[in-house]
Amino acid sequence: MTKRIKQSLTIINKLGLHARAATKLVQLANTFEADILLTQGENTAPANSVLALMMLESGQGKTIEVTCEGKDAESAMSAVKELVQNKFDEEE
Amino acid sequence: MIISDIISLDRTQCSVDCHSKKRIFEIISEIAIKQNPQLDQNEVLSSLLNREKMGSTGIGNGIAIPHGRIEGLSQIAAIIVTSDEPIEFDAIDNKPVDIFFAILVPNEEAETHLKALAGIARKLSDKEIVKAIRNAENKNQIVAALA
């Protein structure tokens, strides 16, 4: 059954959604079947495109709304949440 | 950010004859130094290589955005190089890369860095622009495509 879930997350790493962070998110998103979208304000980006994610210009402190849709939506969401909350594995 | 603020004809090179990832970084560093002799070529090269070691900057579709932070740099500078033949680059989609949009950024400028990346992404997500860069026969055509 297809599930669609939404959750707001705050970008907490110092550098924000820069190239390496965006690349990590894309690599993670590609391991799930669910479609994952990130929305910041009026802009939405699919989590499988580094270019689209970089266009969001999500800096530290910005809130993004994550939407996951697909049969593994829940595990996709928790993985995305973990990556963001772990500062994309960055030190600060 | 306006992309034309960070690109320059002097820092653009079309269809370089290059067959390795290592060599393309040397070419990028050489161009950076030639245009800004105050920079230290080894510092530029190691900055780019160190970033690359943390993960490939090959973002897919034959495009890479190598970048490095340079202490004391006054403003962001982009170095744009296309290669004659696509180069193996461990890109996210495993496709070889022939468009290198490198940027050197001043230290500790997270916000400016994000703005520059967003500006570059807006250009490189436009298929027509990418096609024009790939088909360019000289550096003027590359700069014109991005203007």
Side-chain angles (χ1 to χ4, degrees):
Chain A
M1 200 181 85
T2 299
K3 276 194 173 175
R4 186 168 192 263
I5 47 175
K6 277 188 182 193
Q7 187 169 354
S8 287
L9 295 173
T10 303
I11 301 290
I12 54 170
N13 65 314
K14 186 183 169 191
L15 299 176
L17 202 48
H18 62 122
R20 191 167 64 251
T23 303
K24 277 197 175 159
L25 181 53
V26 170
Q27 285 166 334
L28 181 75
N30 285 340
T31 63
F32 293 98
E33 267 184 44
D35 288 324
I36 307 171
L37 296 173
L38 266 66
T39 302
Q40 182 185 285
E42 292 175 350
N43 302 313
T44 295
N48 61 5
S49 163
V50 177
L51 286 171
L53 291 173
M54 291 197 309
M55 281 193 273
L56 289 180
E57 235 179 274
S58 299
Q60 190 179 34
K62 286 275 166 61
T63 300
I64 48 167
E65 190 176 61
V66 183
T67 308
C68 298
E69 186 169 4
K71 60 182 180 187
D72 56 359
E74 270 167 4
S75 42
M77 181 64 85
S78 64
V80 171
K81 187 176 164 184
E82 194 183 335
L83 183 68
V84 171
Q85 290 181 341
N86 281 340
K87 302 178 185 170
F88 299 91
D89 306 321
E90 289 163 21
E91 278 178 19
E92 49 181 2
Chain B
M1 191 207 63
I2 305 166
I3 203 97
S4 54
D5 288 348
I6 65 165
I7 67 175
S8 150
L9 202 53
D10 295 332
R11 289 193 304 269
T12 305
Q13 213 161 310
C14 181
S15 305
V16 299
D17 182 19
C18 175
H19 305 280
S20 78
K21 195 170 173 173
K22 184 173 172 272
R23 181 69 191 127
I24 203 78
F25 284 107
E26 289 169 358
I27 291 171
I28 291 166
S29 310
E30 283 161 15
I31 296 170
I33 303 307
K34 209 184 265 180
Q35 210 265 335
N36 185 351
Q38 285 166 324
L39 293 174
D40 176 334
Q41 187 168 342
N42 287 329
E43 188 192 347
V44 173
L45 183 60
S46 59
S47 170
L48 293 171
L49 290 175
N50 287 338
R51 165 59 185 86
E52 208 63 34
K53 270 185 207 151
M54 298 169 84
S56 176
T57 57
I59 55 172
N61 295 321
I63 300 168
I65 49 163
H67 50 276
R69 291 177 189 274
I70 307 290
E71 194 108 30
L73 191 71
S74 57
Q75 57 179 16
I76 294 185
I79 297 118
I80 305 161
V81 176
T82 60
S83 64
D84 239 349
E85 299 286 333
I87 297 166
E88 284 306 326
F89 209 78
D90 307 309
I92 194 164
D93 59 357
N94 294 317
K95 286 185 189 163
V97 173
D98 59 355
I99 296 176
F100 303 87
F101 200 121
I103 52 169
L104 302 179
V105 294
N107 256 333
E108 302 299 327
E109 287 260 11
E111 201 179 321
T112 324
H113 183 64
L114 279 187
K115 275 204 166 68
L117 289 176
I120 293 165
R122 274 189 278 275
K123 294 288 182 186
L124 297 180
S125 57
D126 183 325
K127 287 196 177 81
E128 291 302 316
I129 293 178
V130 173
K131 201 167 134 190
I133 295 173
R134 205 157 260 149
N135 293 339
E137 287 170 2
N138 55 55
K139 60 183 182 178
N140 297 66
Q141 290 177 357
I142 295 177
V143 171
L146 288 161

